[in-house]
Amino acid sequence: MCQSRLFCAVGVSALLASAAAAAPLIGSGSNLPIPSPNPGAPPAQFRTPTTVTGGWTGAWTAPAAASWVGTFSVVGPIPSSVSNPAGTSVYDFSTLPLGVLPVGTYFRFGDLDGGSVTNETYTLTAFDSSGAITTPWLDDVLGVTGTGTGSSGAILPGNMPGWSFNSTTGAYFFDGSTVTGGNPSLGVWLQSNTSILQLEIIRTSNFANFALAAPLAIPAPGAVTLAGLAGLALRRRRR
């Protein structure tokens, strides 16, 4: 959590500037690039999952940004935690406030590497009302957290999973088998740049984790400064 309103505002501004400079994630490679500088995790709220027959529901509440506050449904397993099986999960975002998963949603992969004896991969395909979205719908890596295999836990380029984007099917493939240098424990954050009606996720191993997260509501311009001035004025009156 942020230690002060001012700190939160500065942090959000830095992340907004970083997001504005982001480019679509295209092509392929053995290791996703680490942003420089690396801002780490954005201020965000993970979805809250609730198991239901045949699947689960996800929910966001305030202080998530208003366009995310609501619920969505999923057929299939929760694609995270060793307690949930691998498999295919199909998300339906039509019940969210905008009827879609908004642009700017965070996609977070955890511990996607070659540390287990299983093949750790994710395949993600997004859909709109016309079918599969075949233009790049995710941006480059926004931030990375966790412990790498470098000196004092530094995150090395080889610690990142591989990726590819298929411009014919619109599918992103993320591959932990290309990780080198040992067994890192990383959280890799990306952000969507396209509204999504449905999302299909195929997880091949329950040792890797994936979750969606919503950005937090941003104070109106000047609200932080006004709040600080109001607090200062109140303290002076009490003296």
Side-chain angles (χ1 to χ4, degrees):
M1 295 295 290
C2 296
Q3 296 176 349
S4 70
R5 288 193 178 96
L6 180 58
F7 180 83
C8 288
V10 172
V12 168
S13 297
L15 283 159
L16 286 175
S18 175
L25 180 63
I26 60 175
S28 62
S30 297
N31 306 103
L32 284 165
I34 302 170
S36 181
N38 175 18
Q45 181 190 107
F46 286 109
R47 82 288 181 269
T48 300
T50 302
T51 302
V52 297
T53 302
W56 54 285
T57 61
W60 286 296
T61 59
S67 295
W68 282 262
V69 174
T71 62
F72 58 88
S73 60
V74 184
V75 176
I78 299 173
S80 64
S81 174
V82 295
S83 62
N84 296 315
T88 300
S89 304
V90 179
Y91 293 59
D92 179 358
F93 301 111
S94 61
T95 53
L96 289 176
L98 300 180
V100 292
L101 184 68
V103 171
T105 302
Y106 299 121
F107 287 59
R108 193 262 191 190
F109 294 93
D111 208 22
L112 180 56
D113 52 44
S116 70
V117 296
T118 59
N119 185 29
E120 298 182 17
T121 68
Y122 280 93
T123 303
L124 280 67
T125 306
F127 301 83
D128 59 19
S129 58
S130 300
I133 301 171
T134 56
T135 56
W137 47 272
L138 286 175
D139 282 341
D140 289 335
V141 176
L142 178 68
V144 186
T145 60
T147 303
T149 60
S151 176
S152 301
I155 301 171
L156 303 178
N159 295 161
M160 298 288 283
W163 89 98
S164 65
F165 176 71
N166 187 321
S167 59
T168 300
T169 64
Y172 280 101
F173 180 70
F174 297 96
D175 186 4
S177 70
T178 59
V179 171
T180 61
N183 186 20
S185 179
L186 303 184
V188 179
W189 294 78
L190 300 97
Q191 193 170 25
S192 64
N193 59 37
T194 303
S195 298
I196 298 170
L197 178 61
Q198 292 184 321
L199 178 68
E200 179 189 77
I201 297 179
I202 302 174
R203 181 171 76 142
T204 58
S205 169
N206 62 351
F207 286 93
N209 300 289
F210 170 81
L212 295 173
L216 302 184
I218 301 172
V224 173
T225 301
L226 290 174
L229 291 174
L232 179 61
L234 182 61
R235 287 193 295 272
R236 287 178 173 174
R237 289 177 182 176
R238 289 175 176 174
R239 289 179 180 175

